[in-house]
Amino acid sequence: MLYPALPRLDHPEWQGALWIGSIDLTLDLPASIPLADADGYTRARLLARNGLDPVGFVELAIDNGVVDAAELRASAAQLPPAANAAPRAPLSSPPPVTIVICTRDRVEHLRGALASVLAVDYPDVEVVVVDNASTTGDTIAYVESIDDPRVRIVREPAPGLSRARNTGIRAARHDLVAFTDDDVAVDPSWLTALVRGFGRADKVTCVSGIVPSGEIRTQAQAYFDRRVGWASSVTPRIYDLAEPPADVPLFPFQVGMYGTGANFAVRRSRMFDLGGFDESLGVGSPTNGGEDLDIFFRILMAGDQLVYEPGAIVWHRHRADSDALAIQARGYGLGLGAWLATVATDRRAATLAAKVAFRKAGSAARLSLRMSKVASPPSDLADDLPAGIGRMELLSIFKGPMALRRSRRGGRARRPLTGVNRDARPT
């Protein structure tokens, strides 16, 4: 029996809805594979894997709640082989890891995320929940009720995801710190794969993983699934400013391919060196996002390496209704625009951007064309999406610089961990 990537909360609302899960092709599979909670679904999307390593996504027909194993294997065999795969370093003694989950007034979401995090198959883990300016005591009461010595809670009274992430870094007892969100489910092998990424090269400061859609039962979720760039690649990569990848023409400015804030790990010691997350970016600040793009970019600009490790899987539940999708689209555009403003106001980054744009004028033009297409949602989804959602996201990008200015005027620091005592931990 296969179980869905995320617990089922409601019925599918759209004929194109997909049942989503993963399957290990190295296992001895029955001829017909039953799917749990598949009522109302006619097709399934499965992430095919060979043990820890994803092979790719396949879509199969569901017949009376089952999928055909022969069709699964035939479809998986047609997937293109992973290209440009980075060498794999064997794990010796797995280092201890701190997992940080930042949350605010979302206990029902947090329950599921914590349950998946506590089920990871990793030997030495602590979990730090950062309660970020919650309006009630429900989060603290819930976390303190958990009978598991690995879990503790710290408070960050000032709102803002970047502030909460910095508090999590300060509170961490281990040098490897993994971040995930409160509306996800992590794969049992998530940490094993993230840690493996740190062994792929000598100067790895950050490892990110894949964040596939864990539910597509509405058109709003299908739209978001098609829009994001960190939900499909199954090829491990090492990104290094000293060795620009030939197939990433606007490197290092194509930040969407590095990963997202729901799934990455960093070296705690280097985060203090880099100053931590920019408090003027992220949910809970006027910019409403961009803090993950910023830290990935700054890690590369510092001469460190960033590894994309697709075996580290975190399933995300996208916004299911049009109103929530509109809010998210505006937030993504605003955060991207604010981050671009930080690039434009940094002399070294702006100079590099000008050089890359000049050398790769054709690639920049193609990127602009792709961005213009965002303004027009796919025709098969447009009827059930907020009017002008694509234009809304693009226009929000242009509002990002002003949002960044308001955020900075509010006293939010660019590098708040600079000079902070890394041995002093908050409670």
Side-chain angles (χ1 to χ4, degrees):
M1 175 77 72
L2 285 186
Y3 291 90
L6 293 171
R8 177 167 171 166
L9 300 181
D10 214 333
H11 296 285
E13 300 178 1
W14 171 53
Q15 64 180 3
L18 295 170
W19 188 98
I20 296 178
S22 67
I23 190 163
D24 187 349
L25 299 177
T26 65
L27 300 178
D28 185 15
L29 302 175
S32 296
I33 306 168
L35 308 180
D37 296 327
D39 294 346
Y41 289 95
T42 60
R43 292 191 66 77
R45 176 192 289 177
L46 300 181
L47 177 57
R49 306 161 68 173
N50 286 326
L52 193 63
D53 300 309
V55 177
F57 293 89
V58 298
E59 290 193 13
L60 308 169
I62 300 175
D63 185 8
N64 292 321
V66 304
V67 293
D68 184 78
E71 183 183 357
L72 164 67
R73 293 191 183 279
S75 297
Q78 297 300 313
L79 293 170
N84 302 317
R88 203 169 274 116
L91 285 175
S92 51
S93 177
V97 177
T98 297
I99 301 171
V100 173
I101 304 176
C102 303
T103 188
R104 182 183 188 188
D105 289 328
R106 303 212 307 179
V107 172
E108 291 307 312
H109 286 82
L110 181 63
R111 290 181 195 276
L114 259 180
S116 68
V117 162
L118 293 174
V120 296
D121 53 4
Y122 197 81
D124 194 349
V125 174
E126 69 158 353
V127 181
V128 174
V129 177
V130 182
D131 182 37
N132 185 209
S134 290
T135 59
T136 73
D138 293 350
T139 301
I140 293 173
Y142 164 62
V143 176
E144 289 181 344
S145 73
I146 298 174
D147 186 20
D148 192 318
R150 297 175 296 174
V151 182
R152 58 193 170 97
I153 190 164
V154 297
R155 300 166 178 82
E156 174 47 65
L161 180 55
S162 286
R163 285 168 168 162
R165 291 197 195 277
N166 287 329
T167 296
I169 288 171
R170 290 174 56 210
R173 296 186 178 123
H174 306 312
D175 190 51
L176 294 188
V177 182
F179 289 91
T180 192
D181 289 345
D182 62 4
D183 58 353
V184 305
V186 306
D187 184 80
S189 299
W190 171 59
L191 274 191
T192 300
L194 274 182
V195 171
R196 182 176 70 176
F198 284 96
R200 289 189 182 272
D202 296 330
K203 300 184 297 178
V204 180
T205 287
C206 179
V207 178
S208 65
I210 192 171
V211 185
S213 303
E215 179 183 76
I216 302 181
R217 62 178 182 84
T218 71
Q219 288 180 296
Q221 290 174 323
Y223 170 78
F224 191 83
D225 175 68
R226 298 184 194 181
R227 283 284 295 108
V228 296
W230 28 257
S232 58
S233 174
V234 295
T235 300
R237 299 293 299 266
I238 298 173
Y239 294 105
D240 189 332
L241 193 66
E243 298 182 24
D247 60 339
V248 186
L250 299 182
F251 177 83
F253 300 97
Q254 287 174 248
V255 286
M257 65 193 312
Y258 303 145
T260 186
N263 183 7
F264 71 105
V266 295
R267 294 192 186 277
R268 181 178 185 269
S269 54
R270 282 296 286 157
M271 292 301 290
F272 281 92
D273 296 337
L274 295 171
F277 291 89
D278 186 343
E279 293 178 345
S280 61
L281 300 172
V283 174
S285 76
T287 62
N288 206 46
E291 87 293 339
D292 48 356
L293 308 181
D294 180 67
I295 199 65
F296 296 157
F297 179 75
R298 283 165 52 204
I299 284 169
L300 290 171
M301 291 295 288
D304 297 6
Q305 295 164 320
L306 185 153
V307 167
Y308 174 71
E309 185 69 55
I313 302 166
V314 170
W315 301 95
H316 186 261
R317 195 187 303 274
H318 303 324
R319 305 303 193 270
D321 63 87
S322 292
D323 290 342
L325 180 63
I327 293 171
Q328 188 174 42
R330 284 194 292 267
Y332 272 49
L334 203 62
L336 175 59
W339 172 73
L340 289 172
T342 69
V343 172
T345 54
D346 180 279
R347 179 176 297 179
R348 179 167 171 252
T351 300
L352 178 60
K355 290 179 179 178
V356 170
F358 179 77
R359 290 199 308 265
K360 305 292 184 179
S363 298
R366 288 191 293 273
L367 179 61
S368 298
L369 178 62
R370 287 199 298 270
M371 291 294 289
S372 68
K373 291 181 179 179
V374 172
S376 302
S379 57
D380 61 323
L381 302 177
D383 291 344
D384 197 51
L385 297 177
I389 185 171
R391 291 189 299 275
M392 182 190 309
E393 184 173 351
L394 291 177
L395 289 173
S396 294
I397 295 176
F398 294 101
K399 296 177 181 179
M402 287 302 297
L404 179 68
R405 187 177 180 184
R406 290 196 305 273
S407 200
R408 294 267 169 84
R409 283 180 172 177
R412 294 173 175 86
R414 171 68 166 150
R415 291 180 172 81
L417 294 187
T418 301
V420 170
N421 181 2
R422 61 192 69 192
D423 296 323
R425 289 174 168 80
T427 58

